[in-house]
Amino acid sequence: MATDRCTSCNGTLAETGATQFKCPECSSVVSRCYRCREQSIAYECRKCGFRGP
Ligand SMILES: [Zn+2]
Ligand SMILES: [Zn+2]
């Protein structure tokens, strides 16, 4: 398994507190690290380019 990376900052999701959810547009998995979640940085889906909070 490849290491998951944060969709927002491209950092590895080694720390706890990372979150994963499905893109509402294309259902591909979007991952966000603890830091980006705390700062409410918007994610951008790599497949379809959807942006969301
Ligand atoms: Zn991040
Ligand atoms: Zn998508």
Side-chain angles (χ1 to χ4, degrees):
M1 285 289 283
T3 309
D4 287 327
R5 286 182 174 271
C6 173
T7 305
S8 297
C9 71
N10 207 35
T12 54
L13 298 180
E15 302 163 59
T16 54
T19 182
Q20 288 190 319
F21 50 94
K22 287 191 174 180
C23 170
E25 287 290 314
C26 69
S27 294
S28 73
V29 177
V30 176
S31 306
R32 236 172 14 155
C33 71
Y34 171 78
R35 276 194 315 271
C36 292
R37 205 179 55 140
E38 282 283 291
Q39 295 173 39
S40 298
I41 294 174
Y43 63 87
E44 182 174 337
C45 176
R46 287 188 191 155
K47 270 195 180 168
C48 70
F50 178 84
R51 290 183 178 218

